[in-house]
Amino acid sequence: MGEAADRIVASAEEGLARLLARTDAAPDADISAVERDHRVADVLAHLHAWHVLLTGWVAEDAAGRTPAYPAEGYTWATLGELNAALHDAHRHLSYDDARAALVASHGQAVATVRAVDDARLTSPDAFPWLGGDRLASVAHECLGGHYIWAMGLLDRAGVPA
């Protein structure tokens, strides 16, 4: 594993540990003030869904296909609709099931990052379907960066740290 992957993984591992410690202490906290009709489990399920997208993009690329980025039928301009669809697909999950799915997909996403050499992770040309973005940046946003977002959401909802 190279330097870029090391940084992404370290940030992801630390962020997930902090997030789960917080959500495990308040799995039924009310976050409806900042996420209407959403639960703590939905936050974890959202993170899981983005891990699945990340690993899917890289798997599609490895198979020689151009991934639907961000997802089939969606663009970055329709990100809100994509997130709503992801919520609808996972809203049935209990906290324990959402947590288990998140931990599993986190492991898969970390393994995906570790499998890509640093030159490809950091090159803006390695994955043309990213439109000049570096996979390292995208992976960080789907992992450690997304955990920071989730912590901020919990902060805004008043969930104890």
Side-chain angles (χ1 to χ4, degrees), residues 20 23-24 27-28 39-42 44-45 92-104:
L20 291 179
T23 60
D24 285 349
D28 298 317
R39 310 162 295 137
V40 172
D42 296 324
L44 302 186
H92 66 282
L93 293 176
S94 68
Y95 177 81
D96 289 339
D97 289 344
R99 186 190 194 285
L102 173 61
V103 169

mmCIF file of all heavy atoms in Angstrom, residues 20 23-24 27-28 39-42 44-45 92-104:
data_model
loop_
_atom_site.group_PDB
_atom_site.id
_atom_site.type_symbol
_atom_site.label_atom_id
_atom_site.label_comp_id
_atom_site.label_asym_id
_atom_site.label_seq_id
_atom_site.Cartn_x
_atom_site.Cartn_y
_atom_site.Cartn_z
ATOM 1 N N LEU A 20 -18.951 5.244 15.066
ATOM 2 C CA LEU A 20 -19.671 4.118 15.668
ATOM 3 C C LEU A 20 -19.707 4.220 17.185
ATOM 4 O O LEU A 20 -20.713 3.837 17.802
ATOM 5 C CB LEU A 20 -19.075 2.792 15.214
ATOM 6 C CG LEU A 20 -19.297 2.464 13.738
ATOM 7 C CD1 LEU A 20 -18.638 1.140 13.383
ATOM 8 C CD2 LEU A 20 -20.776 2.466 13.366
ATOM 9 N N THR A 23 -22.609 6.668 17.648
ATOM 10 C CA THR A 23 -23.941 6.162 17.314
ATOM 11 C C THR A 23 -24.328 4.970 18.182
ATOM 12 O O THR A 23 -25.502 4.811 18.509
ATOM 13 C CB THR A 23 -24.061 5.807 15.818
ATOM 14 O OG1 THR A 23 -23.117 4.791 15.478
ATOM 15 C CG2 THR A 23 -23.862 7.041 14.954
ATOM 16 N N ASP A 24 -23.354 4.162 18.567
ATOM 17 C CA ASP A 24 -23.663 3.039 19.460
ATOM 18 C C ASP A 24 -24.186 3.544 20.801
ATOM 19 O O ASP A 24 -25.007 2.888 21.444
ATOM 20 C CB ASP A 24 -22.432 2.160 19.695
ATOM 21 C CG ASP A 24 -22.088 1.284 18.497
ATOM 22 O OD1 ASP A 24 -22.902 1.179 17.553
ATOM 23 O OD2 ASP A 24 -20.983 0.697 18.518
ATOM 24 N N PRO A 27 -28.183 5.064 19.578
ATOM 25 C CA PRO A 27 -28.737 4.524 18.334
ATOM 26 C C PRO A 27 -30.146 5.002 18.014
ATOM 27 O O PRO A 27 -30.561 4.979 16.855
ATOM 28 C CB PRO A 27 -28.701 3.013 18.555
ATOM 29 C CG PRO A 27 -28.727 2.839 20.036
ATOM 30 C CD PRO A 27 -27.972 4.031 20.578
ATOM 31 N N ASP A 28 -30.871 5.450 19.037
ATOM 32 C CA ASP A 28 -32.249 5.898 18.825
ATOM 33 C C ASP A 28 -32.397 7.408 18.928
ATOM 34 O O ASP A 28 -33.514 7.914 19.075
ATOM 35 C CB ASP A 28 -33.174 5.216 19.842
ATOM 36 C CG ASP A 28 -33.178 3.705 19.681
ATOM 37 O OD1 ASP A 28 -33.224 3.229 18.530
ATOM 38 O OD2 ASP A 28 -33.102 2.999 20.709
ATOM 39 N N ARG A 39 -33.498 8.519 10.707
ATOM 40 C CA ARG A 39 -33.019 7.982 11.976
ATOM 41 C C ARG A 39 -31.503 7.840 11.920
ATOM 42 O O ARG A 39 -30.910 7.917 10.843
ATOM 43 C CB ARG A 39 -33.609 6.582 12.213
ATOM 44 C CG ARG A 39 -35.107 6.471 12.047
ATOM 45 C CD ARG A 39 -35.566 5.020 11.852
ATOM 46 N NE ARG A 39 -35.035 4.497 10.598
ATOM 47 C CZ ARG A 39 -34.509 3.274 10.439
ATOM 48 N NH1 ARG A 39 -34.464 2.430 11.438
ATOM 49 N NH2 ARG A 39 -34.055 2.887 9.271
ATOM 50 N N VAL A 40 -30.879 7.581 13.068
ATOM 51 C CA VAL A 40 -29.444 7.337 13.102
ATOM 52 C C VAL A 40 -29.109 6.165 12.174
ATOM 53 O O VAL A 40 -28.120 6.206 11.444
ATOM 54 C CB VAL A 40 -28.962 7.086 14.550
ATOM 55 C CG1 VAL A 40 -27.516 6.630 14.577
ATOM 56 C CG2 VAL A 40 -29.138 8.347 15.397
ATOM 57 N N ALA A 41 -29.955 5.149 12.162
ATOM 58 C CA ALA A 41 -29.731 4.000 11.272
ATOM 59 C C ALA A 41 -29.669 4.433 9.814
ATOM 60 O O ALA A 41 -28.889 3.885 9.026
ATOM 61 C CB ALA A 41 -30.830 2.953 11.464
ATOM 62 N N ASP A 42 -30.468 5.438 9.452
ATOM 63 C CA ASP A 42 -30.465 5.914 8.065
ATOM 64 C C ASP A 42 -29.150 6.579 7.695
ATOM 65 O O ASP A 42 -28.712 6.501 6.550
ATOM 66 C CB ASP A 42 -31.621 6.890 7.834
ATOM 67 C CG ASP A 42 -32.976 6.236 8.001
ATOM 68 O OD1 ASP A 42 -33.129 5.055 7.626
ATOM 69 O OD2 ASP A 42 -33.888 6.903 8.525
ATOM 70 N N LEU A 44 -26.200 5.704 8.912
ATOM 71 C CA LEU A 44 -25.265 4.597 8.680
ATOM 72 C C LEU A 44 -25.560 3.915 7.349
ATOM 73 O O LEU A 44 -24.637 3.558 6.610
ATOM 74 C CB LEU A 44 -25.326 3.590 9.826
ATOM 75 C CG LEU A 44 -25.024 4.133 11.230
ATOM 76 C CD1 LEU A 44 -24.989 2.992 12.235
ATOM 77 C CD2 LEU A 44 -23.759 4.954 11.270
ATOM 78 N N ALA A 45 -26.836 3.739 7.031
ATOM 79 C CA ALA A 45 -27.210 3.115 5.763
ATOM 80 C C ALA A 45 -26.776 3.978 4.575
ATOM 81 O O ALA A 45 -26.352 3.457 3.539
ATOM 82 C CB ALA A 45 -28.718 2.862 5.726
ATOM 83 N N HIS A 92 -35.619 0.471 5.644
ATOM 84 C CA HIS A 92 -36.153 -0.650 6.432
ATOM 85 C C HIS A 92 -35.134 -1.223 7.423
ATOM 86 O O HIS A 92 -35.492 -2.001 8.300
ATOM 87 C CB HIS A 92 -36.595 -1.773 5.491
ATOM 88 C CG HIS A 92 -35.456 -2.400 4.760
ATOM 89 N ND1 HIS A 92 -34.859 -1.789 3.666
ATOM 90 C CD2 HIS A 92 -34.772 -3.542 4.991
ATOM 91 C CE1 HIS A 92 -33.853 -2.555 3.259
ATOM 92 N NE2 HIS A 92 -33.780 -3.615 4.038
ATOM 93 N N LEU A 93 -33.876 -0.854 7.285
ATOM 94 C CA LEU A 93 -32.827 -1.451 8.118
ATOM 95 C C LEU A 93 -32.919 -0.979 9.569
ATOM 96 O O LEU A 93 -33.077 0.206 9.827
ATOM 97 C CB LEU A 93 -31.441 -1.107 7.568
ATOM 98 C CG LEU A 93 -31.057 -1.703 6.227
ATOM 99 C CD1 LEU A 93 -29.692 -1.187 5.791
ATOM 100 C CD2 LEU A 93 -31.066 -3.228 6.268
ATOM 101 N N SER A 94 -32.776 -1.918 10.471
ATOM 102 C CA SER A 94 -32.670 -1.567 11.888
ATOM 103 C C SER A 94 -31.290 -0.959 12.120
ATOM 104 O O SER A 94 -30.405 -1.046 11.256
ATOM 105 C CB SER A 94 -32.817 -2.824 12.744
ATOM 106 O OG SER A 94 -31.683 -3.678 12.536
ATOM 107 N N TYR A 95 -31.110 -0.378 13.286
ATOM 108 C CA TYR A 95 -29.788 0.165 13.610
ATOM 109 C C TYR A 95 -28.730 -0.930 13.507
ATOM 110 O O TYR A 95 -27.685 -0.732 12.881
ATOM 111 C CB TYR A 95 -29.763 0.798 15.014
ATOM 112 C CG TYR A 95 -28.373 1.289 15.360
ATOM 113 C CD1 TYR A 95 -27.920 2.509 14.879
ATOM 114 C CD2 TYR A 95 -27.495 0.495 16.102
ATOM 115 C CE1 TYR A 95 -26.632 2.946 15.147
ATOM 116 C CE2 TYR A 95 -26.206 0.922 16.368
ATOM 117 C CZ TYR A 95 -25.775 2.143 15.892
ATOM 118 O OH TYR A 95 -24.492 2.571 16.130
ATOM 119 N N ASP A 96 -28.979 -2.077 14.102
ATOM 120 C CA ASP A 96 -27.985 -3.153 14.100
ATOM 121 C C ASP A 96 -27.667 -3.624 12.682
ATOM 122 O O ASP A 96 -26.508 -3.881 12.356
ATOM 123 C CB ASP A 96 -28.456 -4.334 14.954
ATOM 124 C CG ASP A 96 -28.435 -4.022 16.442
ATOM 125 O OD1 ASP A 96 -27.709 -3.083 16.860
ATOM 126 O OD2 ASP A 96 -29.156 -4.711 17.195
ATOM 127 N N ASP A 97 -28.694 -3.728 11.838
ATOM 128 C CA ASP A 97 -28.465 -4.166 10.459
ATOM 129 C C ASP A 97 -27.724 -3.102 9.650
ATOM 130 O O ASP A 97 -26.846 -3.423 8.848
ATOM 131 C CB ASP A 97 -29.781 -4.527 9.771
ATOM 132 C CG ASP A 97 -30.383 -5.810 10.321
ATOM 133 O OD1 ASP A 97 -29.674 -6.587 11.004
ATOM 134 O OD2 ASP A 97 -31.588 -6.037 10.071
ATOM 135 N N ALA A 98 -28.084 -1.837 9.858
ATOM 136 C CA ALA A 98 -27.390 -0.751 9.162
ATOM 137 C C ALA A 98 -25.934 -0.688 9.605
ATOM 138 O O ALA A 98 -25.020 -0.503 8.784
ATOM 139 C CB ALA A 98 -28.088 0.586 9.415
ATOM 140 N N ARG A 99 -25.697 -0.876 10.892
ATOM 141 C CA ARG A 99 -24.337 -0.847 11.429
ATOM 142 C C ARG A 99 -23.514 -1.988 10.832
ATOM 143 O O ARG A 99 -22.372 -1.792 10.412
ATOM 144 C CB ARG A 99 -24.366 -0.952 12.955
ATOM 145 C CG ARG A 99 -23.009 -0.781 13.601
ATOM 146 C CD ARG A 99 -23.058 -1.132 15.089
ATOM 147 N NE ARG A 99 -21.892 -0.690 15.811
ATOM 148 C CZ ARG A 99 -20.696 -1.277 15.740
ATOM 149 N NH1 ARG A 99 -20.500 -2.318 14.959
ATOM 150 N NH2 ARG A 99 -19.681 -0.791 16.448
ATOM 151 N N ALA A 100 -24.098 -3.190 10.800
ATOM 152 C CA ALA A 100 -23.390 -4.345 10.249
ATOM 153 C C ALA A 100 -23.085 -4.148 8.762
ATOM 154 O O ALA A 100 -21.983 -4.466 8.298
ATOM 155 C CB ALA A 100 -24.201 -5.622 10.462
ATOM 156 N N ALA A 101 -24.044 -3.606 8.024
ATOM 157 C CA ALA A 101 -23.832 -3.347 6.591
ATOM 158 C C ALA A 101 -22.718 -2.314 6.408
ATOM 159 O O ALA A 101 -21.860 -2.464 5.525
ATOM 160 C CB ALA A 101 -25.123 -2.862 5.944
ATOM 161 N N LEU A 102 -22.718 -1.279 7.238
ATOM 162 C CA LEU A 102 -21.690 -0.241 7.150
ATOM 163 C C LEU A 102 -20.308 -0.818 7.437
ATOM 164 O O LEU A 102 -19.358 -0.561 6.691
ATOM 165 C CB LEU A 102 -21.999 0.902 8.121
ATOM 166 C CG LEU A 102 -20.918 1.977 8.260
ATOM 167 C CD1 LEU A 102 -20.659 2.678 6.932
ATOM 168 C CD2 LEU A 102 -21.317 2.976 9.335
ATOM 169 N N VAL A 103 -20.191 -1.588 8.485
ATOM 170 C CA VAL A 103 -18.885 -2.166 8.833
ATOM 171 C C VAL A 103 -18.388 -3.065 7.708
ATOM 172 O O VAL A 103 -17.220 -3.003 7.316
ATOM 173 C CB VAL A 103 -18.963 -2.914 10.185
ATOM 174 C CG1 VAL A 103 -17.714 -3.738 10.432
ATOM 175 C CG2 VAL A 103 -19.180 -1.917 11.321
ATOM 176 N N ALA A 104 -19.279 -3.868 7.146
ATOM 177 C CA ALA A 104 -18.886 -4.766 6.052
ATOM 178 C C ALA A 104 -18.478 -3.983 4.807
ATOM 179 O O ALA A 104 -17.429 -4.257 4.201
ATOM 180 C CB ALA A 104 -20.030 -5.733 5.729
#
